């Protein structure tokens, strides 16, 4: 049971990280002005990459 929960948690983290990487520009257009868009997009892409790596590591080491 514990392994299934870790698998689901890892999959959700990896999936949300990939979504952040690909939709970062669209998300920042809704939330920020033009001057802050580039910095926020880079930040969201970095956050998405880190989340993806953590999710994959959870799946690998479960």
């Amino acid at each position: 049971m514990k392994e299934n929960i870790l698998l689901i948690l890892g999959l959700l983290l990896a999936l949300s990280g990939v979504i952040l990487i690909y939709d970062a520009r669209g998300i920042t257009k809704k939330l920020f002005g033009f001057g802050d868009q580039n910095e926020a997009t880079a930040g969201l892409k970095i956050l998405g990459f880190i989340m993806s790596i953590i999710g994959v590591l959870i799946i690998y080491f479960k």
Side-chain angles (χ1 to χ4, degrees), residues 17-32:
V18 170
I19 289 172
L20 273 179
I21 291 171
Y22 285 110
D23 290 340
R25 180 68 64 183
I27 293 169
T28 55
K29 280 184 182 179
K30 294 177 187 175
L31 299 176
F32 298 103

Side-chain angles (χ1 to χ4, degrees), residues 1-51:
M1 184 69 181
K2 178 184 172 186
E3 295 161 356
N4 290 338
I5 293 172
L6 285 176
L7 178 67
I8 291 171
L9 179 68
L11 286 173
L12 288 175
L13 268 174
L15 178 67
S16 59
V18 170
I19 289 172
L20 273 179
I21 291 171
Y22 285 110
D23 290 340
R25 180 68 64 183
I27 293 169
T28 55
K29 280 184 182 179
K30 294 177 187 175
L31 299 176
F32 298 103
F34 182 73
D36 297 331
Q37 271 185 357
N38 291 331
E39 294 175 15
T41 300
L44 281 179
K45 286 186 178 191
I46 291 170
L47 178 67
F49 179 74
I50 292 170
M51 286 175 62

